[in-house]
Amino acid sequence: MRIGGIITVLVLAGIGFAATYFITDEWVEGQIEYQGSILNEAKVELDGFDFSLWDLHIKWSRLQVANSNNTMQNTFETGETEFSMEFWPLILRNKVIVDDVRLTGFQMDTERETDGSFEIPEEVKNEEPGFVYSVVSQVTSEAKKNAEVKFTDVRDDLNVDSLMAKVNIQSVDKIDSLRKGIQQKYAKWDSTFKNTKVNEEVAKVRSTVESINPKEIKKPKQVVEAIENVQKLRKQVDSLKTRAENLKKEFEQDYGTTRNDIGQVDNWIRDDYQRALSVAKLPDLDVQNIGKALFGQNLLGDYAAYLEYVAIAREYGSRLVGEEDSVQEIPRYEGLDYEFSDKYDYPGFWFKNIELSGKTKSDISISGTVTDISSSQKKTGQPVKFNVQGQDENEVALTVDGEFNYLEEEPRESFRVNYSGFTLSKARLSGSDLLPYELKTGTGELNVEMSIIDKRIDSRIDYLAKNISFDFAAAGRPKNRVETLIRNAIGSTNQVDVTALVDNMDGPLRVRVRSNVDDLFMNALKKTVSQEVENAKRKIRAEVQKQVAGKKQQLEKLKAEKEAELRKRYEELQSKVDEQLQVVEEKKKELEERKKELEDSLKDKIKDKIGIDFK
């Protein structure tokens, strides 16, 4: 063996010895926890961590990933996990490539014993929440709003005074503000018309024109000069007319805006009315809203929980893909150095296959695979795919599958969930006061399908409760006629089928919920609380109108009076300009006639002297 080869072996052996001495399990564990916590924006913690440098083998007994939105809960945790990294990609290119991971004890939404909050370094703080989180917020808000709707508490003797004290009536202040604006505009235009120089210049033109007396002009040359002066005056008056017309145009545009503002008064009053209805929590007795009121809270709450996992996936994906998949800009007039790619052009990390097992919060044993988690899907050419399923001893089954695809310019996420066979005994189908009854028997099935492409979402949730029977006896006697009618309507129902559609494919986000029992409830409500609701709405509408009574009419009267005054000022100005224009034309005509008289007189004199007729 040559001396160079011996030295190389010794150097590598020395580096290996030094690495084993300085790179401890604690150091590697600390680095993984720190970098993972930055990525997660909440604590990532490892227990029982072991790292072997010689065979690049990692294992731990427990991993906890805290939920950044609820730091006393884990997004997920695992039990015993182990895997080995490929040697050459790590040594030569600092790439973490893992073929297979065995992950056990997987659980989601577990409680933590300590707070999982983590202070993000200032230089790596994340941007504002993304699109999917905004949808989660909207859906959660919709679920909360549905929970607040009360149907059986509507009273005909609504205390309007007490209600209106809680309502922030805004139209009165807006009308007063608009009144001040009109007055300010009037003062502005009053000053404009009063101080315009058009009046002064018209007076000067009039004075100049009146000073010209055609009969005093004795020579044709003087008449020509006078005509030229009058033509100049005509141009000056035309200019004054243009200025007056521009004033009119600006005035009409300004007051046109005021007219549009006054047109908003009805909208302001309508907004106050809707605000009062919201405070009163009066139900909207429309079949399109019954489904939301009955099942929206529970169904949309579950939907928002599923959607939050998609939001986490997109957020992680955006942080991981970022720089590695970015395109380098080429400075103008400069070149770039390119490296020839090879089959080892790996992403920063790539977990090719993860076999997981664990259980759900309801103790369903689950197992499945997650494939191709990487820092660059464009380098692996593969999206993240997952398929997890399981079943308990009572044949309650769960299947979750889908993919997170960031190969193209637009991020894409899709997944499907099927949860079936779960018992509904002692459960309530709805959080609404319309359906407060527990079930004696029944089984449920939930199906969720969701597709998100960039900022376009299309999703469907189907909930089926079958073989059900309501426990009316446990609820006691009906408290009112509404409950009696509803019990009669649904007493023979043995199945409830609910569908929720959430999408923004044709515009803003829409949330629609319908069920096979909507009409039954609608008919019962029409026979009972519909009149009370209409009476309550009428009282609220009357009170809102009372508070703004006459203000709109007063505003319109003020605006009309001020506008009429200003129009009169403008018309006076316009009249003066038009009148002066006519005076100038008449003066010009007089001068033309005087010119002809002098020319004819001159011709007659020449004829008398030389005897030549110029006709």
Side-chain angles (χ1 to χ4, degrees), residues 138-149:
Q138 291 180 67
V139 172
T140 302
S141 175
E142 187 75 25
K144 182 180 178 182
K145 183 171 66 175
N146 293 329
E148 293 175 346
V149 177

Side-chain angles (χ1 to χ4, degrees), residues 419-469:
Y419 181 39
S420 62
F422 53 92
T423 181
L424 294 175
S425 177
K426 303 294 183 182
R428 282 183 59 180
L429 290 179
S430 170
S432 169
D433 63 340
L434 283 178
L435 196 57
Y437 314 110
E438 290 186 350
L439 295 173
K440 291 191 291 186
T441 60
T443 56
E445 180 176 348
L446 178 69
N447 285 284
V448 180
E449 292 186 9
M450 184 181 302
S451 173
I452 306 177
I453 302 176
D454 193 24
K455 294 184 178 181
R456 302 184 301 280
I457 184 169
D458 189 14
S459 56
R460 178 187 178 104
I461 316 151
D462 291 297
Y463 180 77
L464 176 64
K466 53 189 178 181
N467 301 321
I468 62 173
S469 61

Side-chain angles (χ1 to χ4, degrees), residues 87-151:
F87 181 79
W88 290 115
L90 181 65
I91 297 300
L92 298 180
R93 295 178 178 268
N94 196 29
K95 310 287 187 179
V96 176
I97 309 300
V98 179
D99 287 326
D100 293 292
V101 178
R102 185 178 64 83
L103 187 154
T104 65
F106 180 82
Q107 298 181 74
M108 302 183 74
D109 299 328
T110 57
E111 300 298 321
R112 292 179 57 87
E113 297 176 359
T114 60
D115 189 1
S117 59
F118 178 79
E119 186 174 349
I120 307 296
E122 190 67 32
E123 64 273 13
V124 293
K125 281 189 176 178
N126 194 35
E127 64 278 357
E128 293 296 316
F131 162 72
V132 183
Y133 272 119
S134 72
V135 177
V136 172
S137 177
Q138 291 180 67
V139 172
T140 302
S141 175
E142 187 75 25
K144 182 180 178 182
K145 183 171 66 175
N146 293 329
E148 293 175 346
V149 177
K150 301 297 182 185
F151 287 88

